[in-house]
Amino acid sequence: MSALRLSGALREVRIVLCQYSAASAGAREFVSQNYVELKTENPTTPILVRECSDVKPMLYARFAHGREKSAGIDDLESSEILEKLKSLDESSLQEAGNSSVS
C-alpha cells in the first residue's frame, strides 16, 4: 500500500469484521497488510478494528460534530477497501467545501 494520509476532518476510522466469514476475508487482509502503515501515517487518528461473529463487514468514518459515514465492505479485496476509505475521506472534504461556499 502506498501511504494514505487522511484528512484532518476525519476523526476516527472503524472497521467491523467477522473473524472467520468469507465475506470478511478482504477486510482481514486489509487490516493485516495496511494497519501499521496507516497508523504510522495518521498517528493522531484512532483506527479501530472490531471483530464480531457473523457480522456484515463495514467501514465507518467519523467526522467532526459526530457526523458519520459508512460503507459496506463485504466480499471486497483489500485494495478496494482502501479505495472506499479514500472516497469516504474525500467526500467529507467535498461537502465541507460546498458548505463553505454557500
Side-chain angles (χ1 to χ4, degrees):
M1 171 182 115
S2 61
L4 174 61
R5 187 84 170 113
L6 300 169
S7 73
L10 190 58
R11 301 283 193 251
E12 176 185 281
V13 174
R14 196 167 57 252
I15 302 166
V16 178
L17 55 88
C18 178
Q19 303 96 318
Y20 55 84
S21 76
S24 290
R28 291 190 301 271
E29 180 184 351
F30 175 81
V31 170
S32 67
Q33 290 180 350
N34 300 307
Y35 179 85
V36 172
E37 190 172 352
L38 194 56
K39 190 61 188 169
T40 301
E41 285 297 315
N42 305 281
T44 60
T45 303
I47 301 171
L48 310 173
V49 178
R50 299 290 182 239
E51 295 178 324
C52 306
S53 296
D54 299 320
V55 70
K56 176 182 176 186
M58 295 288 292
L59 176 63
Y60 295 91
R62 189 174 55 81
F63 303 93
H65 308 293
R67 199 169 50 89
E68 193 169 273
K69 291 189 170 194
S70 63
I73 55 172
D74 45 328
D75 297 318
L76 294 183
E77 294 182 13
S78 179
S79 59
E80 294 170 309
I81 295 170
L82 180 61
E83 290 305 313
K84 287 271 190 186
L85 179 56
K86 286 179 184 178
S87 70
L88 287 175
D89 193 24
E90 289 169 0
S91 68
S92 73
L93 293 175
Q94 290 171 353
E95 286 177 8
N98 291 340
S99 64
S100 64
V101 172
S102 306

